[in-house]
Amino acid sequence: MFNTVIEVILGLLLLFLAYKAIDSKELIKSVMYLSAVSMLSVVGFALMQAPDVAVTEAVIGSGMVTALFVFTLLSRKGVKR
Amino acid sequence: MAVLLIAIPLLFAFVSILNKKYAFYLLALVAAFNFVFSFFLEKGMYSIGGFGPFGINLLVDQYALIGLWLLNGLFFLTVMINLKASKKLATVLIVLLAGINGLLLTNDLFNLFVFLEITGISAYLLTTENKKPVSSFNYLVQGTVGSGLYLLGLVILYSMIGTLNMSDVISRIYTIGATPTTLLLPFMLMFIGLGVEAKLLPFNSWVKGVLEKAKPLSGTLVSSVIAGTILLVFGRLLTTVMVISNADMLITIILIATIIAGEVAAFKSTRIREILLFSSIGQAGLVVYLFTHGLLMQGVLLIIANVLSKFVLFTIGASLAEAAGDEVEELRGAFKNNKLLGIGFTVAALSVTGLPLFFGFVVKLNVLLGIFGSYDLITPIIILVVSLIEGVYFIKLLMKLWYGESNVQIKNVLMTVSVLSVAVVLIVLGVYYQPMMDLVAPIKDEMIMIIQGGSF
Amino acid sequence: MIQIASILLVMLGLYGILTNRNIIKIIISLNIFEVGLNLFIVSLAYVEGGIDPILTSHSASSTLSFVDPLPHALVLTAIVIGVGTTALGLAFAKKIYAKYGTYELDEMGVE
Amino acid sequence: MKKFLALLAVIALGVGIIKTLDNNVSFPKYGEAVIESRVSNFYIKKNVTEENSEVLFGGSDYETGSANFVTSIVANYRSFDTLGEVTVLFISAFGVALLLGSKEQKRLELNFKPNFMLQVGSRALFAIIVMVGLYISIHGHLTPGGGFPGGTIIAASVLLLYLSNDKFRTNIRGFRFMQSITGALYVIIGLVGLFVSGFFLENFLGTGIVGNLFSAGIIPIVYIIIGLKVGSDFSIIIDSFLTKEVSK
C-alpha cells in the first residue's frame, strides 16, 4: 500500500516538473527543473528495484547533463533571457 | 569472422585520434580492407561471446552480402574521390564505416538501435562540413526522436514476446499466439522510428536542410550510402520481424504520400541538388512500399539501382553546384567542356527514369510485374505516373545541362574514372542482367528459411 | 502508476520538441523524452515482490524471484547514448549562438 | 491558446497509447512480468545451455562469475552493445572537440571567482572522488553501478579541478591518449577472445567464485577499461565546453 502512494506522488511530481521545464520562460529555471526531473527519475529507478540504473542515472543523468547545460548557458554573453 | 568487418574499423577509429596526420591513411586502409574482406565472407550465423541465440549474433546471408559488397565499395569510392574533405573528417568516416557494417550484419534488435545511433551521430558530424549548424541540429533532433521511437517500439515488443533476437522473434510470436493486432503498436512505433532515417514523410524535413547545400562528400554519403543501408535494414525488419498484416492502411497512406510528395517537389524545384534529394525521397518511399507488400526481390533490385545512380548523380551534381551555383539556369551547358562527367550523369539519370538498355529498366519491369502480380490496381497506376513525372524532370534537367554556354571546368580525374565505371556497370547490368538475377534469387528462400526455422 | 507517468513523460517530451522554437528548450525536451523512455523501459522489468538482480550473501540463490535484468542493461546503454547526443546538441547550440547570437530559431533568418 | 490545444492533443495521444497497451492481451501489466517466458531467465540461471541449474552465491565455474546479473549482461552476454556504446561516447567527444575546439584554446572567463574554501577543499576532495570512481568501476560485477558511473565520477573530479581554479586546463593530450588506448584495448580483448576460442569478446579467463573480487573472468578488466575510457571522454567534453578560442 505504502509503495503505491509514493509512486503516485512521484509520477505526478515528475509530470508537473517536466511541464514546468518545457514551459518556463527563463532558461536557467528550465535547466533546474530538468535536473529535478532527473533526480526524481533516480528515485523512480530505486523504487523499481533497479540499483544499477539508479546509480548511472544519478551520476550521468542529473550530474553530467545539468553541468553541460549550465556551461552552455554560462558561456552566453549579454542579457539573460 | 564476420565481426572483423566491425571490430577492425573500431580499432582503427580509436587509434586514428592519436595522430591527425595519419588518420586519413588509416581510413583508406580500413575502407579497402572492408571492401575486399566482404568478398571472403561465408554465409552463416556468427555468435558474439559464444552464447548462441541468447547473445548477440551477426547474420550473413545473401541479403547482407549484397549490401556489404555494394555499400563498402561505394564508401571506398566516395572517400577516395573527395580526398581533401575526408582528410579532415577521417575518424568520423571510420566510425561511420563501422556503423554501416554493423547495421547490415546485426541480427539483434537492440544492437540495431546502437548501430543506428552510431551511424546517426557520425552522419550529423559529417553534415557539419556544410557549415549549416541549424540544419545539422535539426537532423540531430529528428534522428534522436526517430531512434527513440524505435527503442520504444522495440521494448514493448520485448515485453510481449521476451526476446531480442531477430530470427526467433517470429517463432516466438507463433508460440505465444500473438495476433497481428496485438503487435500493431510496437511495429507501428518501430516503423515510424526507422521512417525518420529512411526519409519517409512524417519526419523528413531534415532531408531538405541537410542535402540542399551538401558538399560532395557528405551529400553522396548521406543520400546514397547511408540511405541504402537504412533501406536494406528496413527491408530485413519488414520481412522477418515486423510482419505487418498486409500493410495496414495508415502505412500505405504514408508511403504513397511520400512517393507523390517527393516526385512532385522534385518536378517543381529548379535547383539541381534539390531535384536529386526530392527524387531520392520519392524512391525511398517506393522501396519501402515494395517491402511492405512482400516484394523482397524487387525492393533489393530497386535499392541497388537507386544507390548506384544516386552515387553518380550526387557526386557530379554536388561538384557542379559547388563550382557554379545551384540554379539549373546558371549550370546551363555545364557538360559542354566536361563531357565524360556529362555522359556518366546522363546514364545514371536515364537509368533512374527506367529507359530500356539501362539497369533501371530491368528493375522497373520487375517492380511492375511484381505489383501486377498482387492484382491491386491503384498502385501500379501511381507508380507509372510517378515514373512519368521522373522522366519529365530528368529529361528537362539533362536538356538544360547539355545545351548552352558555360565555362565550368571540373578537374578531378579520380571522380571521372569512378563515375564512368559505375555508369558502365549500370549499362552492363541493363543489357546483360542475368548474373544480377541469380545474385538476387536466393534471398527469397533464405528469408523464408529464417522465418520458419529460425536457424540459419 | 510510474509506467503511466513515463509514457506521459515521453509524450510531454515530444510535445516540447515539436512546439518549442528555442534550441536549448528543444534539447531539454529531448532529455525529458529520454528520461521518460528510460523510466518506461525499467517499468517493464518490474516484478511485484522481486528483488534487486544481484546475488549477495543473504539473497544467495538464483531461484529467488528477481526483477528482469535485461531492460536494466538496455537502459544503461540508452542513458549514456542520451548523454552523448545531448553533449553534441549543446555543442551545436554553442556554435549556433556564436554564429547568430541567439537561441531562437525564428530570429536566425534564412541560413 | 494553440500551445494549449497541442498539449491536449499530446496528452490524448498518451492516454490512447496507455489504453491500447492496457487492453492488449499479450502486454504484461505493471509488476506482472513473467521472467520464465523471457530470455533473461537464462541470464539469471547463468546457464544458456541446459534448463534449471541453481546458481549459489559462493558457487564457482558458472558461465559468468559476476554476482550482478546486469553486469553479466552488459559486459558478457551482450558485450557487443557496450562496445557500440563506448563508440557512441567516443564519437560524441570527438565531435564536440571538432565543433568547439580549435588550434589554441584558453579558459573561458566565468563570471564567478572560486573562493578560498573551494580551492583548498577541492584539493582534498579530488583524491577521494577519484578513489570512489575507481572503486565503483572495479566492483562493477559485485555492487550496482560499473564502468559508466565510475568513469563519470572520475570525470567529475576533473570538473572539480576546473571549477576550483580559473586557469586550470587538464592535459588534453594525455586524456586523448588514454581514450584511444583504452578503446583499442577493449577491441583487442575482443579479438583475443576471437582467436582463443573462436567467438569475439568471449570470456576466456576462468570465471572464479561468484562474489569474490577476482572472479568473473574478463568482466572486471572490461569494466576498468570502460571506466577509464568514459572518464577521459567526459573530461575532453568538459574541456571543450569550458574553453574558448583564443581570439586572434
Side-chain angles (χ1 to χ4, degrees):
Chain A
M1 174 40 202
F2 183 69
N3 235 345
T4 50
V5 168
I6 285 192
E7 272 176 17
V8 167
I9 298 169
L10 190 71
L12 295 180
L13 209 54
L14 267 171
L15 288 173
F16 172 69
L17 286 174
Y19 178 73
K20 286 293 283 177
I22 289 170
D23 249 13
S24 74
K25 288 287 160 279
E26 293 282 321
L27 288 181
I28 297 283
K29 275 205 173 59
S30 230
V31 169
M32 288 311 129
Y33 284 122
L34 176 68
S35 104
V37 166
S38 295
M39 279 168 207
L40 278 181
S41 76
V42 171
V43 173
F45 290 137
L47 266 177
M48 288 194 266
Q49 310 287 347
D52 276 79
V53 179
V55 168
T56 312
E57 173 69 20
V59 174
I60 293 180
S62 43
M64 195 50 74
V65 165
T66 321
L68 290 181
F69 271 107
V70 168
F71 294 154
T72 324
L73 294 182
L74 277 185
S75 71
R76 180 179 55 156
K77 297 178 293 304
V79 76
K80 265 214 179 34
R81 228 196 322 273
Chain B
M1 293 316 270
V3 84
L4 289 182
L5 278 176
I6 304 166
I8 301 295
L10 284 183
L11 185 66
F12 277 51
F14 291 134
V15 171
S16 71
I17 59 167
L18 283 181
N19 187 325
K20 284 272 188 325
K21 280 198 302 303
Y22 301 116
F24 175 73
Y25 304 109
L26 288 179
L27 167 66
L29 192 66
V30 82
F33 164 77
N34 261 23
F35 179 49
V36 167
F37 187 72
S38 59
F39 286 98
F40 296 108
L41 270 182
E42 310 102 32
K43 295 184 187 173
M45 185 83 82
Y46 295 86
S47 140
I48 290 182
F51 296 108
F54 303 103
I56 297 168
N57 4 36
L58 305 177
L59 175 63
V60 179
D61 58 357
Q62 186 68 18
Y63 188 82
L65 278 176
I66 291 177
L68 286 173
W69 295 330
L70 183 72
L71 293 164
N72 278 321
L74 283 184
F75 182 89
F76 181 66
L77 278 181
T78 319
V79 162
M80 282 308 130
I81 291 173
N82 318 307
L83 287 169
K84 200 168 59 59
S86 37
K87 268 198 169 51
K88 283 204 299 293
L89 295 164
T91 309
V92 175
L93 285 166
I94 300 177
V95 171
L96 177 66
L97 181 68
I100 287 172
N101 284 291
L103 276 175
L104 288 172
L105 282 170
T106 182
N107 189 24
D108 183 272
L109 289 172
F110 184 75
N111 206 351
L112 187 65
F113 165 75
V114 172
F115 279 117
L116 211 61
E117 281 288 331
I118 292 175
T119 317
I121 288 181
S122 17
Y124 313 147
L125 286 174
L126 269 181
T127 54
T128 59
E129 182 202 29
N130 316 333
K131 294 286 177 290
K132 285 172 69 183
V134 179
S135 53
S136 302
F137 176 76
N138 198 348
Y139 184 19
L140 180 137
V141 168
Q142 292 194 8
T144 313
V145 167
S147 37
L149 287 177
Y150 170 77
L151 179 60
L152 188 61
L154 152 71
V155 157
I156 296 175
L157 192 69
Y158 169 73
S159 73
M160 285 184 193
I161 52 172
T163 176
L164 285 174
N165 196 324
M166 277 197 213
S167 35
D168 54 5
V169 161
I170 294 277
S171 49
R172 281 215 179 201
I173 287 179
Y174 291 144
T175 45
I176 294 166
T179 61
T181 47
T182 54
L183 292 173
L184 193 62
L185 181 65
F187 288 159
M188 280 305 290
L189 283 170
M190 286 161 83
F191 184 89
I192 293 171
L194 281 172
V196 171
E197 285 287 328
K199 306 202 255 270
L200 299 185
L201 206 59
F203 283 114
N204 65 356
S205 59
W206 60 269
V207 180
K208 186 169 184 323
V210 162
L211 290 177
E212 200 181 17
K213 291 270 186 302
K215 292 214 166 35
L217 174 70
S218 62
T220 318
L221 278 182
V222 170
S223 74
S224 80
V225 176
I226 295 180
T229 320
I230 300 283
L231 288 174
L232 279 173
V233 164
F234 222 136
R236 182 184 288 281
L237 273 178
L238 281 172
T239 42
T240 51
V241 173
M242 288 150 69
V243 187
I244 301 168
S245 57
N246 52 51
D248 176 55
M249 263 329 281
L250 181 61
I251 289 180
T252 321
I253 294 161
I254 291 179
L255 292 174
I256 301 289
T258 316
I259 298 170
I260 294 171
E263 297 301 339
V264 163
F267 183 79
K268 285 214 299 290
S269 125
T270 58
R271 285 199 285 273
I272 185 164
R273 280 185 283 202
E274 222 175 68
I275 295 173
L276 296 180
L277 73 89
F278 281 127
S279 99
S280 78
I281 290 178
Q283 297 288 331
L286 184 56
V287 166
V288 177
Y289 179 85
L290 292 177
F291 283 133
T292 49
H293 282 66
L295 299 167
L296 184 65
M297 259 218 324
Q298 286 82 353
V300 171
L301 282 174
L302 193 57
I303 290 179
I304 297 168
N306 221 344
V307 166
L308 286 175
S309 40
K310 278 292 169 304
F311 167 77
V312 170
L313 292 174
F314 222 93
T315 315
I316 300 174
S319 32
L320 277 181
E322 289 297 304
D326 246 288
E327 284 302 327
V328 177
E329 295 311 323
E330 294 148 17
L331 291 170
R332 191 176 276 281
F335 291 151
K336 259 280 174 295
N337 26 36
N338 21 46
K339 290 254 181 309
L340 292 177
L341 288 186
I343 296 167
F345 193 91
T346 319
V347 164
L350 296 181
S351 160
V352 169
T353 54
L355 289 178
L357 177 70
F358 295 107
F359 184 45
F361 172 71
V362 171
V363 169
K364 275 248 172 1
L365 202 62
N366 269 303
V367 163
L368 288 175
L369 286 178
I371 289 191
F372 274 119
S374 63
Y375 40 87
D376 72 25
L377 268 173
I378 330 121
T379 37
I381 297 159
I382 293 173
I383 289 174
L384 284 176
V385 163
V386 152
S387 36
L388 193 66
I389 300 172
E390 248 171 32
V392 167
Y393 67 72
F394 266 121
I395 304 287
K396 203 169 64 173
L397 181 63
L398 283 173
M399 301 293 285
K400 287 214 178 84
L401 287 176
W402 275 104
Y403 301 108
E405 300 321 318
S406 134
N407 43 34
V408 170
Q409 185 65 33
I410 293 180
K411 278 269 170 310
N412 187 336
V413 172
L414 207 53
M415 181 207 303
T416 328
V417 164
S418 48
V419 157
L420 280 182
S421 54
V422 171
V424 161
V425 164
L426 280 173
I427 297 173
V428 161
L429 285 180
V431 169
Y432 177 55
Y433 51 82
Q434 197 43 42
M436 180 50 86
M437 287 306 152
D438 323 335
L439 200 65
V440 172
I443 291 178
K444 192 73 179 174
D445 35 37
E446 275 171 9
M447 283 292 180
I448 291 168
M449 206 159 69
I450 288 174
I451 292 173
Q452 268 136 10
S455 67
F456 186 75
Chain C
M1 174 54 196
I2 283 215
Q3 200 162 36
I4 295 165
S6 57
I7 292 176
L8 291 181
L9 265 178
V10 166
M11 288 300 143
L12 261 175
L14 280 177
Y15 160 74
I17 290 167
L18 295 178
T19 51
N20 265 317
R21 301 300 298 169
N22 182 317
I23 285 188
I24 299 288
K25 283 289 193 47
I26 292 178
I27 301 176
I28 286 175
S29 318
L30 205 62
N31 265 40
I32 289 178
F33 172 75
E34 262 141 27
V35 164
L37 199 57
N38 295 340
L39 270 174
F40 179 72
I41 295 174
V42 174
S43 75
L44 293 177
Y46 181 64
V47 171
E48 204 59 46
I51 53 172
D52 304 357
I54 296 171
L55 282 179
T56 54
S57 46
H58 47 75
S59 66
S61 149
S62 75
T63 52
L64 295 164
S65 113
F66 284 106
V67 167
D68 181 357
L70 186 61
H72 299 182
L74 303 186
V75 169
L76 268 179
T77 311
I79 289 176
V80 183
I81 286 181
V83 163
T85 23
T86 312
L88 212 57
L90 287 171
F92 275 124
K94 267 184 93 155
K95 220 155 156 53
I96 289 168
Y97 190 82
K99 187 172 180 186
Y100 296 101
T102 167
Y103 288 130
E104 294 296 333
L105 282 171
D106 312 331
E107 292 159 13
M108 286 178 193
V110 87
E111 212 157 24
Chain D
M1 189 44 207
K2 195 170 69 63
K3 275 202 164 188
F4 187 68
L5 283 180
L7 184 65
L8 278 186
V10 160
I11 300 291
L13 185 62
V15 169
I17 286 189
I18 292 165
K19 275 288 157 283
T20 43
L21 280 182
D22 265 355
N23 46 41
N24 187 329
V25 74
S26 53
F27 180 75
K29 298 282 174 297
Y30 176 69
E32 284 146 19
V34 177
I35 304 295
E36 278 62 36
S37 75
R38 287 189 184 178
V39 173
S40 38
N41 185 24
F42 294 98
Y43 300 143
I44 292 178
K45 293 281 182 296
K46 280 203 190 325
N47 211 320
V48 173
T49 41
E50 79 273 11
E51 251 319 301
N52 39 29
S53 68
E54 201 202 0
V55 173
L56 289 176
F57 179 63
S60 66
D61 58 53
Y62 299 119
E63 236 168 27
T64 67
S66 125
N68 183 344
F69 296 126
V70 178
T71 313
S72 76
I73 293 176
V74 163
N76 207 354
Y77 288 111
R78 298 182 65 91
S79 185
F80 201 53
D81 278 350
T82 317
L83 180 63
E85 174 17 42
V86 159
T87 327
V88 165
L89 253 184
F90 166 75
I91 197 66
S92 297
F94 181 80
V96 166
L98 187 77
L99 280 168
L100 299 180
S102 70
K103 294 298 163 300
E104 333 83 35
Q105 298 273 87
K106 72 173 171 43
R107 271 298 298 277
L108 204 60
E109 288 82 24
L110 303 177
N111 39 31
F112 76 91
K113 282 284 158 279
N115 57 32
F116 172 72
M117 274 312 294
L118 185 58
Q119 275 162 358
V120 170
S122 69
R123 256 180 231 97
L125 272 179
F126 172 75
I128 295 170
I129 295 180
V130 170
M131 264 202 307
V132 166
L134 283 178
Y135 171 83
I136 288 184
S137 296
I138 291 169
H139 285 72
H141 59 290
L142 302 174
T143 61
F148 299 120
T152 320
I153 292 172
I154 293 170
S157 62
V158 170
L159 174 64
L160 185 68
L161 287 179
Y162 266 78
L163 294 181
S164 66
N165 173 347
D166 241 359
K167 300 291 167 287
F168 175 81
R169 277 203 66 207
T170 56
N171 164 2
I172 283 304
R173 285 200 56 72
F175 275 121
R176 180 160 289 141
F177 181 75
M178 183 155 81
Q179 185 182 16
S180 120
I181 287 301
T182 43
L185 257 180
Y186 193 10
V187 178
I188 285 165
I189 282 184
L191 291 176
V192 164
L194 187 62
F195 294 130
V196 159
S197 66
F199 299 114
F200 187 71
L201 284 176
E202 209 262 352
N203 193 344
F204 47 86
L205 295 180
T207 51
I209 298 151
V210 173
N212 287 12
L213 181 57
F214 297 107
S215 66
I218 63 170
I219 293 184
I221 301 164
V222 163
Y223 252 170
I224 295 169
I225 289 174
I226 291 178
L228 294 176
K229 177 145 197 10
V230 167
S232 45
D233 280 340
F234 277 128
S235 311
I236 289 177
I237 288 180
I238 288 169
D239 177 75
S240 314
F241 270 91
L242 277 180
T243 54
K244 73 173 171 23
E245 215 168 308
V246 173
S247 40
K248 298 178 238 346

